[in-house]
Amino acid sequence: MNSVIRGTGYVLVHTPDMVLQNGTTQTTERVVNPGSEYLKNLPRHIRSYEEAVAYWPNQVYIGNGHPEELRNVPFPYFETPKAGAERYGRYGELMPQDEFLLLVQAGDVFDVVKLEAAFVTATRKRFTADPIITADIAARVSDGVALSEIQDYVDNEDAEPLFNGGKLVGCVKRAHDIDVNLSSHVMHENLMSKASSVLALLYAVRNSGIDKAEIEYVIDCAEESCGDMNQRGGGNFAKAAAEIAGLGNASGADVRGFCAAPAHALITAASLVKAGAYKTVAVTAGGCTAKLGMNGKDHVKKGCPVLEDCLGGFAVIISANDGVSPEINLDIIGRHTVGTGSSPQAVITSLVAEPLERGGFKIPDIDKFSPEMQNADITKPAGAGDVPMANYKMIGALAVKRGELERKDLAEFTEKHGLVGWAPTQGHIPSGVPAIGFACDDILAGKLKRIMIIGKGSLFLGRMTDLFDGVSFIIQPNSGKEESDTVSEEQVRALLAKAMRDFARNLMAEETAE
C-alpha cells in the first residue's frame, strides 16, 4: 500500500535585520559599492513585524487563508493587508526575529551563539509563551553575556553580528580559526537553517497528532550544507534538527538537489516507508539567509517594500498507510532524466505528460498542479513575471498539443487546474511543496481527487553540470479500503491450493462411487 501524509508544518520567521546584514544582494553591494543609493534607501523599505504578519501571502503560507482566496485580493498584495491577520496559523506561525534568536541559541550545541543578557531577559518570557516551544527547548536558552564580550568577538575574532531593531544583541562565533567552512558567516547560515527546520518539525509533529517517538527517520532537504574542510557538505542537518526537536528515536540524513530537493526527499521518504524500512519519516527544511532581500534592488527601485524579509521552513510527516490520510502514489513518478533535455516542453513532458500517460491519465485528469509557487508580488517587480502562471500555460499548451485539451479551453485550464503563487522565494521552499498542506485538507474534504507536486531545480548553479533537474508525484485520496477489498498474491495462491485440494477430493469421491 502507498505511504500517506499524516501532517505538515509551515513556518516563517520575520528577519528584517538579517535582510540588511546577511542577504547576499546586500553583502555583495557593501563590498562592490558600499556608498550606493540602494544601501542608503534600503532601510526605509523594510517592513515591520506587524506588516509582515498582515501580508496576505504570508497568512496563506501558515494556513490562515487558502490559495484560492488570493484570486480575490487586489494586486499587488502588499497594498491590501489581511484583516484579522494572526501570528499563529493552521500549519504553523510567523515568528518574530527576537524570539527566533533565542531558538537559534537553544539549538547551538558548540557554544558559538552569544546573546546579550539584557536581550535574553527581555525576550525569554515571550519566547517560552509560544505554545510550540517545549520546556526542554526553553531550558536550553542561556542567560546571556555582557554586550562588551559580544562586541569584542565581533571586533577582534571575526564573529558574525546579530542585530535586532538595528541594535547589536549577539553574535555567531567562528567554529575554527582557519577553516572557511566553519567560519562565522557559514555557521550563521547553517544555524538559521537548522533553527527554522526545528520550528517546522515541531509544528508538523503537532499537526500530525503522532508521538515524537514514532518518527524513526528524518530527511533534511534545505539548500544549506554543513561540514568542515575535509568534507564540505558532509551533513547532517536532519539529525541535528531532530535532536533539538526532541525526536529521540530518529536517525536521519540530508538530501540535496537545489530547488528540486523537497520533491526528491518526499519520494525517498514515501519509498522508505512503503518498503518497510521505517514506519514514519519526517521530511524537513529550514530557511536560507542568503536569499533574504534577493530582489531588493528591484523592489526599492519600484517603490515596493522589501518582500523577501522572512526565512521559510516546512516539514511533512510520512507514515505507513492508515486507511484515511492522503497517499503519495509511487506508481506515477515524473523524472527529468539526463537525456531529457532542458527546453520547457521537454521538461514539462518528462515531469507531467509522461508519468500521467504511464498511469493511464491525461493532463486534465489532475485537479491541481503545484510547480514553482513563487509569489508574483516578489517576482514581477524583478522582471521574472508570474512564475506559476508561466508553468500552467506550458502545461496547458502541452495538453492542447497532445489532443487532451481544446485550444479554446486553455485560458480556463490555467485557473481551473492552477494555483495563485504565495510562497517566499527561499529557493527550495516554493518548489511544489507549499501546496501539500492545503492539498491534504482538500482531499480529506472531498474537494480534490488528485494534485501533482512538481519539484524543479537548477543543477547548473553548482558548476558541475549544465543539466536541469526535476521530479514529480501525485497525492490522492486514501485507497486503503479499496485495496483491502482486492486479493493479494498470497491470497490467490491460497485459493488455488484450496481449489486443487477440493478438485482432488471430488475426483476421489467420484472414483469411489463408481
Side-chain angles (χ1 to χ4, degrees), residues 14 19 38 41-48 51-52 55 76-80 293 295-309 375 377-378 381:
H14 185 236
V19 173
Y38 168 63
N41 293 328
L42 180 61
R44 295 196 294 271
H45 293 261
I46 298 295
R47 294 187 294 186
S48 68
E51 289 172 325
Y55 185 52
Y77 305 132
F78 66 82
E79 293 182 349
T80 307
N295 293 289
K297 287 186 177 181
D298 292 300
H299 293 164
V300 170
K301 186 186 301 181
K302 297 182 180 179
C304 307
V306 175
L307 299 169
E308 296 161 307
D309 57 357
N375 170 11
D377 233 8
I378 295 171

Side-chain angles (χ1 to χ4, degrees), residues 297-380:
K297 287 186 177 181
D298 292 300
H299 293 164
V300 170
K301 186 186 301 181
K302 297 182 180 179
C304 307
V306 175
L307 299 169
E308 296 161 307
D309 57 357
C310 290
L311 294 175
F314 82 94
V316 180
I317 307 298
I318 309 291
S319 72
N321 202 305
D322 60 359
V324 178
S325 303
E327 300 177 347
I328 292 179
N329 187 341
L330 290 174
D331 294 327
I332 305 176
I333 299 296
R335 300 178 301 130
H336 182 280
T337 66
V338 171
T340 294
S342 295
S343 71
Q345 181 176 324
V347 172
I348 294 300
T349 299
S350 67
L351 297 180
V352 177
E354 288 180 355
L356 290 179
E357 185 176 8
R358 291 196 305 271
F361 296 107
K362 297 179 180 179
I363 291 174
D365 292 332
I366 301 301
D367 296 319
K368 293 288 183 182
F369 294 89
S370 177
E372 301 156 292
M373 299 313 304
Q374 281 96 336
N375 170 11
D377 233 8
I378 295 171
T379 57
K380 278 190 173 183

